[in-house]
Amino acid sequence: MLALSGTMLVGCTQSEYIGEAPQQNGNEIVFSGASGKMTRATSNTGSVAEKLDGQIKFYGVKKTGTTDAATYANVFEDYVLWFDNTNITTSNPDGDWEYVDVAGHPYGTTPTTGVTKKDQFIKYWDFATDEYNFVAGSPVEAFTYALNGKGEIATATVTGIAGHLNPGTAKITTNPIYIANPVKVGKADYKKDVLFRFTRQQSYVRVGVFETIPGYKITAIKFYEMDENGKWTTTSKNNVTLASTTKNYFTGAENATATITYNWTDTTYTFAYTDETPFEQQNNWFGGALTGVPATTSTEATVANLYGTDGDMASTGYFTVLPTNSATTATPLLVKCDYTLEGLDGNDIINVKGATAAIPAAYAKWAANTSYTYLFKISDNTNGSTGEEGDGKEGLFPITFDAAVIEVEDGTAQGTVTTVST
């Protein structure tokens, strides 16, 4: 950036899943699980069961025939899996995940909000069919599945999605949404447990700024925004602002809706936000507000100095954000700011204008279940200007001195020049 110089990104992706997939002896359909008691509502930490809040909504069909001649029949129509390590049953032999009605299970008498109670029964593998298809998501009330004309599981509507976009003091609720890749089970695997692999559909992003200019400290910093035409606009905000020249590149919401489209050829899905739902899209994303003196190292322990402050920010500096639309083309993320330098001796003030930096497109498309850290360094190699922006004199130039001693002999000025190191 200013030498907002180096941009550093750290990404970490981890798919959650329900246990292993051991061989079963009977023909009952079983969903494998990881044991562990439930201790909290939908979360980002803990065991698989804790992260999924002990609840999964799934749909399953069986397929007979191949290609366009295939027929589909419902087997699990909007069923619920719940974590149950107190009852060992035929459909839950490992004491993990249950789908058959048993006394006292959380969806047997008092369903979760937004879920209609329905009877659920044990199912058995049908060897007269060629394949089973399954999809799943958590929490239960967030998912509604839809079939196409052939009876394939085609799409899912997901509600209650939230992610940070704009600065503010109030914290929005960003409960995790978990989506499983679609699962195809061929006849050779009919007696094995069905294994779902989940991805958390939100991402984490934090943006930090630190300065390394010798003899000075930053006492004020203001960031620019990008308008819909890709032009910079001045602003009074001191929130770290990421901008894109692509219109509506960033998405945020408190209670948005999205559509999942399943691809059964390669068992993947695409994710797109629905236009009719209350989410926002814009060219700018706002991180924490920087007040006082920013950090002087990239590892400064004071989160507020490095990443700023905001109502949505976690104690680690991260924001929960919505991932970039699947169809969106990645473009660089841009930063532009003005800042004020004050000499550590208190005797000099310099205003630097229009310092810029870019995050490469390769790191600018936010993937689900991934965390990103962007760090910008303000150094004396800045591309900002201390005069008029665009005057061709961008940068900080150290003040240096030469010394000349003039000797007079016979009325003739003769000089020697000694250069003092800068």
Side-chain angles (χ1 to χ4, degrees):
M1 169 168 111
L2 351 354
L4 250 184
S5 69
T7 302
M8 182 172 71
L9 172 146
V10 178
C12 178
T13 303
Q14 177 182 350
S15 295
E16 302 301 338
Y17 60 93
I18 302 182
E20 302 300 327
Q23 184 78 27
Q24 298 295 314
N25 294 322
N27 284 344
E28 65 276 358
I29 297 177
V30 175
F31 296 86
S32 60
S35 60
K37 67 179 181 178
M38 292 302 302
T39 59
R40 59 184 298 178
T42 305
S43 63
N44 301 310
T45 60
S47 68
V48 171
E50 288 171 324
K51 289 180 180 179
L52 298 175
D53 200 20
Q55 55 170 306
I56 298 167
K57 186 175 183 180
F58 70 106
Y59 206 110
V61 300
K62 58 184 181 182
K63 174 183 176 182
T64 303
T66 57
T67 320
D68 294 335
T71 59
Y72 297 84
N74 287 340
V75 180
F76 296 96
E77 186 175 356
D78 289 325
Y79 265 48
V80 170
L81 274 174
W82 59 91
F83 186 77
D84 184 357
N85 59 358
T86 61
N87 294 285
I88 304 299
T89 66
T90 303
S91 53
N92 182 22
D94 299 320
D96 292 321
W97 295 90
E98 179 65 88
Y99 65 86
V100 177
D101 293 337
V102 294
H105 78 69
Y107 303 103
T109 55
T110 307
T112 187
T113 302
V115 176
T116 302
K117 168 67 173 69
K118 62 180 296 180
D119 294 331
Q120 297 186 181
F121 306 97
I122 193 169
K123 302 291 183 176
Y124 294 89
W125 296 108
D126 182 0
F127 282 84
T129 62
D130 297 300
E131 181 181 283
Y132 282 75
N133 296 165
F134 298 95
V135 297
S138 177
V140 171
E141 64 271 21
F143 288 81
T144 303
Y145 300 107
L147 309 179
N148 62 18
K150 297 187 295 183
E152 289 180 297
I153 308 170
T155 62
T157 299
V158 189
T159 57
I161 301 171
H164 174 86
L165 179 64
N166 292 312
T169 56
K171 186 176 183 62
I172 64 174
T173 300
T174 54
N175 288 333
I177 300 290
Y178 286 91
I179 301 173
N181 271 42
V183 178
K184 290 197 298 187
V185 180
K187 191 176 295 188
D189 295 321
Y190 276 8
K191 298 177 83 173
K192 296 180 180 179
D193 288 5
V194 178
L195 177 67
F196 287 126
R197 296 184 181 275
F198 285 88
T199 298
R200 183 176 181 269
Q201 194 50 42
Q202 292 103 322
S203 309
Y204 280 138
V205 171
R206 62 183 179 181
V207 185
V209 175
F210 66 103
E211 65 91 8
T212 62
I213 299 175
Y216 289 86
K217 63 182 179 180
I218 292 178
T219 57
I221 185 168
K222 302 295 181 184
F223 292 87
Y224 289 68
E225 298 178 26
M226 185 76 71
D227 67 17
E228 292 185 351
N229 298 315
K231 303 296 184 183
W232 288 113
T233 60
T234 58
T235 175
S236 60
K237 290 186 178 70
N238 59 344
N239 293 78
V240 185
T241 305
L242 301 180
S244 173
T245 56
T246 299
K247 185 177 180 180
N248 294 333
Y249 190 87
F250 300 99
T251 303
E254 291 194 44
N255 186 23
T257 300
T259 299
I260 303 169
T261 302
Y262 294 105
N263 184 334
W264 290 102
T265 301
D266 56 6
T267 58
T268 60
Y269 65 85
T270 56
F271 185 92
Y273 303 107
T274 308
D275 290 339
E276 294 78 16
T277 56
F279 66 86
E280 296 181 77
Q281 289 184 295
Q282 58 192 34
N283 292 61
N284 305 284
W285 181 89
F286 299 93
L290 294 173
T291 57
V293 181
T296 56
T297 70
S298 61
T299 57
E300 183 158 330
T302 305
V303 170
N305 284 1
L306 184 58
Y307 299 111
T309 58
D310 190 271
D312 282 340
M313 181 185 288
S315 60
T316 56
Y318 280 111
F319 291 87
T320 297
V321 301
L322 298 183
T324 311
N325 269 329
S326 300
T328 300
T329 300
T331 58
L333 303 183
L334 309 175
V335 173
K336 184 175 181 178
C337 70
D338 300 337
Y339 58 93
T340 299
L341 294 174
E342 180 180 316
L344 296 181
D345 58 8
N347 292 328
D348 192 23
I349 298 293
I350 298 176
N351 293 309
V352 180
K353 296 179 284 295
T356 60
I359 297 166
Y363 306 119
K365 188 170 183 177
W366 297 339
N369 206 37
T370 305
S371 59
Y372 298 88
T373 294
Y374 303 113
L375 295 176
F376 295 102
K377 180 175 67 174
I378 301 177
S379 78
D380 54 6
N381 190 30
T382 180
N383 57 19
S385 175
T386 60
E388 294 298 323
E389 186 177 346
D391 62 6
K393 296 181 175 59
E394 289 78 12
L396 288 176
F397 304 96
I399 298 174
T400 62
F401 298 90
D402 283 346
V405 177
I406 304 299
E407 297 179 358
V408 179
E409 181 179 349
D410 297 332
T412 303
Q414 305 251 344
T416 51
V417 176
T418 302
T419 300
V420 180
S421 63
T422 57

Tab-separated table of all heavy atoms in Angstrom, residues 226-253:
chain	number	residue	atom	x	y	z
A	226	MET	N	-14.443	2.713	-3.773
A	226	MET	CA	-14.563	2.599	-5.223
A	226	MET	C	-16.038	2.750	-5.598
A	226	MET	O	-16.903	2.079	-5.023
A	226	MET	CB	-14.045	1.233	-5.685
A	226	MET	CG	-14.014	1.044	-7.193
A	226	MET	SD	-12.654	1.912	-7.995
A	226	MET	CE	-11.244	0.938	-7.457
A	227	ASP	N	-16.349	3.643	-6.556
A	227	ASP	CA	-17.745	3.769	-6.965
A	227	ASP	C	-18.097	2.703	-7.997
A	227	ASP	O	-17.247	1.888	-8.383
A	227	ASP	CB	-18.052	5.174	-7.484
A	227	ASP	CG	-17.337	5.505	-8.796
A	227	ASP	OD1	-16.865	4.585	-9.495
A	227	ASP	OD2	-17.245	6.711	-9.128
A	228	GLU	N	-19.345	2.684	-8.443
A	228	GLU	CA	-19.816	1.626	-9.343
A	228	GLU	C	-19.137	1.680	-10.697
A	228	GLU	O	-19.169	0.702	-11.457
A	228	GLU	CB	-21.332	1.720	-9.516
A	228	GLU	CG	-22.112	1.388	-8.247
A	228	GLU	CD	-23.607	1.368	-8.482
A	228	GLU	OE1	-24.033	1.777	-9.590
A	228	GLU	OE2	-24.343	0.944	-7.579
A	229	ASN	N	-18.516	2.800	-11.026
A	229	ASN	CA	-17.820	2.935	-12.312
A	229	ASN	C	-16.331	2.634	-12.203
A	229	ASN	O	-15.575	2.856	-13.148
A	229	ASN	CB	-18.023	4.351	-12.852
A	229	ASN	CG	-19.483	4.660	-13.110
A	229	ASN	OD1	-20.204	3.844	-13.685
A	229	ASN	ND2	-19.936	5.838	-12.673
A	230	GLY	N	-15.911	2.128	-11.049
A	230	GLY	CA	-14.509	1.779	-10.874
A	230	GLY	C	-13.611	2.968	-10.579
A	230	GLY	O	-12.387	2.870	-10.738
A	231	LYS	N	-14.196	4.094	-10.115
A	231	LYS	CA	-13.415	5.288	-9.814
A	231	LYS	C	-13.296	5.455	-8.298
A	231	LYS	O	-14.240	5.212	-7.553
A	231	LYS	CB	-14.075	6.529	-10.419
A	231	LYS	CG	-14.298	6.448	-11.929
A	231	LYS	CD	-12.983	6.371	-12.693
A	231	LYS	CE	-13.218	6.382	-14.201
A	231	LYS	NZ	-11.950	6.246	-14.958
A	232	TRP	N	-12.110	5.917	-7.870
A	232	TRP	CA	-11.903	6.156	-6.443
A	232	TRP	C	-12.717	7.361	-5.994
A	232	TRP	O	-12.828	8.360	-6.696
A	232	TRP	CB	-10.436	6.422	-6.156
A	232	TRP	CG	-9.534	5.232	-6.254
A	232	TRP	CD1	-8.548	5.029	-7.173
A	232	TRP	CD2	-9.523	4.092	-5.392
A	232	TRP	NE1	-7.923	3.825	-6.948
A	232	TRP	CE2	-8.503	3.225	-5.845
A	232	TRP	CE3	-10.275	3.706	-4.280
A	232	TRP	CZ2	-8.217	2.016	-5.238
A	232	TRP	CZ3	-10.007	2.491	-3.673
A	232	TRP	CH2	-8.984	1.658	-4.145
A	233	THR	N	-13.278	7.260	-4.785
A	233	THR	CA	-13.978	8.384	-4.174
A	233	THR	C	-13.399	8.600	-2.786
A	233	THR	O	-13.091	7.643	-2.076
A	233	THR	CB	-15.486	8.126	-4.063
A	233	THR	OG1	-15.721	6.964	-3.253
A	233	THR	CG2	-16.095	7.901	-5.434
A	234	THR	N	-13.246	9.854	-2.404
A	234	THR	CA	-12.701	10.148	-1.076
A	234	THR	C	-13.759	9.882	-0.016
A	234	THR	O	-14.956	9.975	-0.273
A	234	THR	CB	-12.241	11.609	-0.990
A	234	THR	OG1	-13.355	12.455	-1.281
A	234	THR	CG2	-11.116	11.876	-1.972
A	235	THR	N	-13.305	9.551	1.169
A	235	THR	CA	-14.209	9.259	2.273
A	235	THR	C	-13.525	9.630	3.570
A	235	THR	O	-12.295	9.747	3.631
A	235	THR	CB	-14.579	7.761	2.290
A	235	THR	OG1	-15.364	7.495	3.455
A	235	THR	CG2	-13.346	6.882	2.311
A	236	SER	N	-14.312	9.813	4.585
A	236	SER	CA	-13.751	10.139	5.898
A	236	SER	C	-13.525	8.890	6.738
A	236	SER	O	-13.079	8.974	7.869
A	236	SER	CB	-14.707	11.081	6.640
A	236	SER	OG	-15.969	10.460	6.827
A	237	LYS	N	-13.824	7.721	6.182
A	237	LYS	CA	-13.731	6.483	6.958
A	237	LYS	C	-12.283	6.107	7.235
A	237	LYS	O	-11.419	6.221	6.366
A	237	LYS	CB	-14.422	5.333	6.218
A	237	LYS	CG	-15.941	5.439	6.152
A	237	LYS	CD	-16.516	4.170	5.534
A	237	LYS	CE	-18.038	4.221	5.491
A	237	LYS	NZ	-18.534	5.199	4.530
A	238	ASN	N	-12.043	5.645	8.457
A	238	ASN	CA	-10.732	5.085	8.764
A	238	ASN	C	-10.803	3.571	8.911
A	238	ASN	O	-9.934	2.954	9.495
A	238	ASN	CB	-10.150	5.726	10.030
A	238	ASN	CG	-11.051	5.532	11.245
A	238	ASN	OD1	-12.221	5.195	11.107
A	238	ASN	ND2	-10.501	5.759	12.419
A	239	ASN	N	-11.879	2.955	8.357
A	239	ASN	CA	-11.961	1.497	8.283
A	239	ASN	C	-11.134	1.008	7.108
A	239	ASN	O	-11.225	1.553	6.000
A	239	ASN	CB	-13.401	1.043	8.087
A	239	ASN	CG	-14.277	1.322	9.287
A	239	ASN	OD1	-14.698	2.452	9.494
A	239	ASN	ND2	-14.525	0.299	10.089
A	240	VAL	N	-10.327	-0.005	7.332
A	240	VAL	CA	-9.545	-0.581	6.248
A	240	VAL	C	-10.510	-1.046	5.162
A	240	VAL	O	-11.405	-1.860	5.422
A	240	VAL	CB	-8.699	-1.762	6.741
A	240	VAL	CG1	-7.804	-2.265	5.618
A	240	VAL	CG2	-7.872	-1.364	7.945
A	241	THR	N	-10.353	-0.540	3.944
A	241	THR	CA	-11.334	-0.762	2.884
A	241	THR	C	-10.709	-1.505	1.713
A	241	THR	O	-9.730	-1.044	1.130
A	241	THR	CB	-11.906	0.588	2.393
A	241	THR	OG1	-12.435	1.305	3.507
A	241	THR	CG2	-12.999	0.358	1.370
A	242	LEU	N	-11.275	-2.669	1.388
A	242	LEU	CA	-10.897	-3.401	0.182
A	242	LEU	C	-11.876	-3.021	-0.918
A	242	LEU	O	-13.089	-2.995	-0.696
A	242	LEU	CB	-10.955	-4.912	0.424
A	242	LEU	CG	-10.068	-5.464	1.541
A	242	LEU	CD1	-10.243	-6.977	1.651
A	242	LEU	CD2	-8.607	-5.120	1.302
A	243	ALA	N	-11.363	-2.722	-2.102
A	243	ALA	CA	-12.207	-2.282	-3.208
A	243	ALA	C	-11.963	-3.142	-4.436
A	243	ALA	O	-10.885	-3.721	-4.610
A	243	ALA	CB	-11.935	-0.809	-3.533
A	244	SER	N	-12.975	-3.228	-5.290
A	244	SER	CA	-12.864	-3.959	-6.555
A	244	SER	C	-13.452	-3.109	-7.668
A	244	SER	O	-14.456	-2.419	-7.474
A	244	SER	CB	-13.611	-5.294	-6.475
A	244	SER	OG	-13.645	-5.921	-7.750
A	245	THR	N	-12.835	-3.183	-8.837
A	245	THR	CA	-13.379	-2.477	-9.993
A	245	THR	C	-14.575	-3.219	-10.577
A	245	THR	O	-15.270	-2.682	-11.440
A	245	THR	CB	-12.308	-2.321	-11.083
A	245	THR	OG1	-11.793	-3.627	-11.427
A	245	THR	CG2	-11.167	-1.435	-10.605
A	246	THR	N	-14.821	-4.453	-10.133
A	246	THR	CA	-15.979	-5.226	-10.582
A	246	THR	C	-17.202	-4.824	-9.770
A	246	THR	O	-17.185	-4.879	-8.532
A	246	THR	CB	-15.735	-6.728	-10.418
A	246	THR	OG1	-14.610	-7.116	-11.204
A	246	THR	CG2	-16.953	-7.536	-10.857
A	247	LYS	N	-18.251	-4.430	-10.437
A	247	LYS	CA	-19.451	-3.988	-9.752
A	247	LYS	C	-20.021	-5.104	-8.882
A	247	LYS	O	-20.124	-6.248	-9.303
A	247	LYS	CB	-20.499	-3.521	-10.774
A	247	LYS	CG	-21.753	-2.926	-10.149
A	247	LYS	CD	-22.709	-2.431	-11.222
A	247	LYS	CE	-23.969	-1.837	-10.595
A	247	LYS	NZ	-24.917	-1.339	-11.631
A	248	ASN	N	-20.376	-4.758	-7.643
A	248	ASN	CA	-21.001	-5.696	-6.707
A	248	ASN	C	-20.162	-6.954	-6.474
A	248	ASN	O	-20.680	-8.063	-6.401
A	248	ASN	CB	-22.399	-6.085	-7.195
A	248	ASN	CG	-23.355	-4.913	-7.194
A	248	ASN	OD1	-23.194	-3.976	-6.417
A	248	ASN	ND2	-24.338	-4.940	-8.070
A	249	TYR	N	-18.863	-6.762	-6.349
A	249	TYR	CA	-17.961	-7.896	-6.140
A	249	TYR	C	-18.158	-8.532	-4.764
A	249	TYR	O	-18.045	-9.740	-4.608
A	249	TYR	CB	-16.515	-7.426	-6.285
A	249	TYR	CG	-15.487	-8.524	-6.319
A	249	TYR	CD1	-15.149	-9.142	-7.525
A	249	TYR	CD2	-14.837	-8.948	-5.162
A	249	TYR	CE1	-14.202	-10.150	-7.568
A	249	TYR	CE2	-13.894	-9.951	-5.194
A	249	TYR	CZ	-13.580	-10.555	-6.401
A	249	TYR	OH	-12.638	-11.551	-6.436
A	250	PHE	N	-18.472	-7.701	-3.764
A	250	PHE	CA	-18.607	-8.190	-2.381
A	250	PHE	C	-20.083	-8.348	-2.021
A	250	PHE	O	-20.928	-7.574	-2.463
A	250	PHE	CB	-17.967	-7.205	-1.402
A	250	PHE	CG	-16.504	-6.976	-1.652
A	250	PHE	CD1	-16.074	-5.853	-2.341
A	250	PHE	CD2	-15.554	-7.879	-1.198
A	250	PHE	CE1	-14.732	-5.623	-2.568
A	250	PHE	CE2	-14.206	-7.663	-1.420
A	250	PHE	CZ	-13.792	-6.536	-2.117
A	251	THR	N	-20.364	-9.354	-1.193
A	251	THR	CA	-21.729	-9.624	-0.752
A	251	THR	C	-21.769	-9.726	0.765
A	251	THR	O	-20.894	-10.331	1.379
A	251	THR	CB	-22.251	-10.943	-1.352
A	251	THR	OG1	-22.181	-10.872	-2.780
A	251	THR	CG2	-23.694	-11.190	-0.938
A	252	GLY	N	-22.797	-9.136	1.355
A	252	GLY	CA	-22.993	-9.244	2.790
A	252	GLY	C	-24.471	-9.337	3.100
A	252	GLY	O	-25.316	-8.965	2.279
A	253	ALA	N	-24.807	-9.846	4.264
A	253	ALA	CA	-26.219	-10.014	4.607
A	253	ALA	C	-26.366	-10.337	6.076
A	253	ALA	O	-25.419	-10.754	6.740
A	253	ALA	CB	-26.845	-11.126	3.770
